[in-house]
Amino acid sequence: MAHDKGLDNVAVHWPRTNQYYDPVAPAEFVDFGAIADRPEIAAPTGALALHIAKTGTVRATAYTELVDLLLGLEGVLYATDAAAEDEDPVIDPDGCAWIAGGLERFVEGHEKYDDLVTFDTVTEVLRTAISAGRLPEQQLRWLDQRLAALRDDAGNAPHWSFARTELAILAGFYRRCADRGFAVFADY
């Protein structure tokens, strides 16, 4: 899925009460700013936490391929399913809980691989999780197809490089939305 502009996921009040969704006040996320002040926090983690604290928004473009792979669907952060049925690209609070849960499980599963999340470590975490589940052979074939589709024409893997803590903050944004009954509007 290619979009000309970047993707922002904006916390909004659910359900909408008028023609437009009302953004959630950044004060609902102010505690994320304290994370950015910790000296041991990686710069990308701090930057994401500070942006969430100031705006109640995630600049989601960088995370779309990874989230789609982890959750097994296309356009998750673009809210494409919601756009088709509701005409609004919105992730409801239950959808936020689902995204948060998938990210939280991944962050937990990645713990033994250090803090740097790459295409190779994502592959290992997913293979481990799938091998322990139902129908592992079928699921591993599906995973191999998804991984192959992410490679470029020369067979090179995407150059993902995230801090595990950055993905924990990302999960925290969606968890906060779910817990407080907020939705997320996909603005692109």
Side-chain angles (χ1 to χ4, degrees):
M1 171 172 292
H3 293 280
D4 296 326
K5 298 179 184 181
L7 170 66
D8 286 341
N9 275 189
V10 182
V12 294
H13 290 281
W14 180 260
R16 73 178 182 201
T17 55
N18 54 37
Q19 183 179 0
Y20 302 103
Y21 290 92
D22 295 324
V24 171
E28 295 284 352
F29 299 92
V30 73
D31 59 312
F32 281 67
I35 295 165
D37 294 335
R38 294 183 192 162
E40 75 278 4
I41 291 297
T45 303
L48 176 61
L50 193 57
H51 185 73
I52 292 169
K54 288 181 176 181
T55 65
T57 300
V58 166
R59 296 217 164 135
T61 304
Y63 308 106
T64 58
E65 282 185 337
L66 175 62
V67 171
D68 286 355
L69 177 63
L70 295 178
L71 299 178
L73 296 174
E74 295 291 325
V76 172
L77 300 181
Y78 285 98
T80 53
D81 285 342
E85 67 185 44
D86 300 335
E87 297 181 15
D88 290 326
V90 176
I91 303 166
D92 67 19
D94 290 339
C96 289
W98 176 69
I99 292 168
L103 287 168
E104 290 161 352
R105 284 186 300 280
F106 173 77
V107 167
E108 182 181 316
H110 196 280
E111 190 169 12
K112 70 179 183 179
Y113 293 98
D114 198 22
D115 193 49
L116 185 63
V117 176
T118 66
F119 185 77
D120 292 335
T121 62
V122 169
T123 300
E124 290 303 315
V125 171
L126 290 176
R127 285 189 189 288
T128 300
I130 288 171
S131 295
R134 286 186 40 202
L135 305 170
E137 292 95 20
Q138 178 182 357
Q139 295 297 318
L140 286 169
R141 281 193 304 276
W142 170 86
L143 177 61
D144 288 339
Q145 291 171 351
R146 290 294 299 255
L147 294 171
L150 289 171
R151 294 182 179 277
D152 65 18
D153 292 339
N156 298 315
H159 297 286
W160 293 337
S161 181
F162 302 104
R164 189 174 71 88
T165 52
E166 180 181 359
L167 298 178
I169 296 299
L170 184 65
F173 171 78
Y174 294 100
R175 179 60 61 202
R176 174 71 51 88
C177 289
D179 290 350
R180 296 201 178 164
F182 303 145
V184 169
F185 183 80
D187 185 21
Y188 48 92

